[in-house]
Amino acid sequence: MDKKLMDHYNSRDQSRILTFISFMGLFILLGLYLFAPEPGTIYWFQKPLIFTIFVAICILGGLATVYPSFCKGVLEFRKEDFSTKGFSTKDDCYPICFQGHHPDCGHFESHTFRIHGKKYCPGCSGLFVGVVLAVAFVLIYYFKGMPLLYGNISFGIGWVMVFISLLSLTLRVMGTRSKFTANLFLVVGSALLIIGLNIFKGNILVECYFLLLIVFFILTRTVTSKNNHERICRSCQKTGCLYDSY
């Protein structure tokens, strides 16, 4: 089998497996929320610890969206040594620069939108807005609190939002608004979930499980995005393409 075709199937299978595990993790969380016993003891450090970790995850994710060049190495999917492509020197290759984490070669125009002439990634923009809202919700809950009734409502809305966000990973083609909304839903939904877990369940093991699940959600979305970009790059007929790493 052709190497490019084999790589295509491997990356597609990888995305499907990660997405399936993410869905399973989300449904397990629902089961834990409904059936896990309430703890006999709620530790004094539990609430500040859980929400500090959650806010830290949000802030790190927000920084990655503001400075995407820092994580460009994670998303570079076709950076190859020019000698493996049959070129004698690097000057024989066609250099591709990055705008954020998108190659600026024209094939990724549908993955960006413009504001005042500057390109932005709808996925990263959705994550950034989601981070701002999620941190705000968490801080309001932490310092002001919420009635017990809202615990179930918060968890339910958050679960549906994260489910919709994960469902978007199964779509091969998405518009800029859909990408923005899906990533915003992931972060805001996660904030509502962690609030609902803390209000209604108060089980530190379940809360720690969900924090790990959030990291896995981020990994799944990152890998899926990388593989989708890789698919576009493989379908490109341009020869002598080499990413500019300088």
Side-chain angles (χ1 to χ4, degrees):
M1 183 181 292
D2 181 78
K3 184 179 183 300
K4 285 188 176 181
L5 186 60
M6 184 179 296
D7 289 341
H8 167 72
Y9 284 119
N10 288 339
S11 62
R12 186 181 64 179
D13 291 342
Q14 182 187 46
S15 296
R16 287 178 174 176
I17 291 172
L18 290 175
T19 302
F20 174 77
I21 295 174
S22 295
F23 274 116
M24 290 298 297
L26 186 62
F27 278 100
I28 290 173
L29 179 69
L30 178 61
L32 292 173
Y33 182 77
L34 294 175
F35 303 111
E38 294 186 20
T41 303
I42 297 180
Y43 303 99
W44 65 268
F45 60 83
Q46 180 174 334
K47 187 174 179 178
L49 175 64
I50 294 299
F51 283 95
T52 298
I53 294 175
F54 178 80
V55 170
I57 293 174
C58 287
I59 292 175
L60 290 174
L63 289 175
T65 64
V66 176
Y67 302 103
S69 58
F70 288 170
C71 57
K72 185 183 74 172
V74 177
L75 295 173
E76 280 188 23
F77 41 84
R78 199 185 168 203
K79 186 176 180 181
E80 302 176 66
D81 187 347
F82 66 88
S83 62
T84 65
K85 291 193 168 192
F87 303 108
S88 57
T89 66
K90 185 176 179 179
D91 293 335
D92 295 330
C93 301
Y94 185 87
I96 294 293
C97 296
F98 275 77
Q99 287 196 341
H101 62 84
H102 293 97
D104 186 24
C105 65
H107 292 285
F108 293 85
E109 286 296 322
S110 62
H111 291 245
T112 59
F113 64 93
R114 291 179 180 271
I115 298 179
H116 299 300
K118 188 174 181 179
K119 284 186 178 181
Y120 294 91
C121 170
C124 291
S125 299
L127 285 175
F128 179 77
V129 175
V131 163
V132 173
L133 293 175
V135 172
F137 289 162
V138 165
L139 291 179
I140 291 173
Y141 164 69
Y142 187 85
F143 290 107
K144 297 295 184 179
M146 294 173 66
L148 180 62
L149 174 64
Y150 294 156
N152 287 323
I153 296 176
S154 175
F155 184 90
I157 295 175
W159 195 93
V160 172
M161 291 178 72
V162 174
F163 180 84
I164 293 174
S165 179
L166 294 179
L167 194 63
S168 71
L169 296 176
T170 64
L171 304 177
R172 292 192 62 181
V173 180
M174 292 180 62
T176 54
R177 291 183 180 178
S178 299
K179 292 178 182 178
F180 179 93
T181 303
N183 284 6
L184 183 146
F185 273 20
L186 179 64
V187 188
V188 174
S190 296
L192 294 176
L193 281 173
I194 199 70
I195 290 173
L197 285 173
N198 189 263
I199 292 177
F200 183 76
K201 187 60 63 175
N203 190 315
I204 190 171
L205 295 179
V206 177
E207 291 173 341
C208 289
Y209 165 77
F210 180 58
L211 290 176
L212 292 176
L213 194 59
I214 292 174
V215 176
F216 192 83
F217 288 160
I218 296 172
L219 172 65
T220 300
R221 181 159 288 280
T222 301
V223 171
T224 301
S225 176
K226 177 186 77 70
N227 289 339
N228 287 337
H229 291 179
E230 185 180 30
R231 174 176 53 82
I232 295 173
C233 193
R234 283 203 199 94
S235 64
C236 178
Q237 301 299 315
K238 188 179 295 182
T239 59
C241 175
L242 181 72
Y243 285 160
D244 186 0
S245 60
Y246 301 102

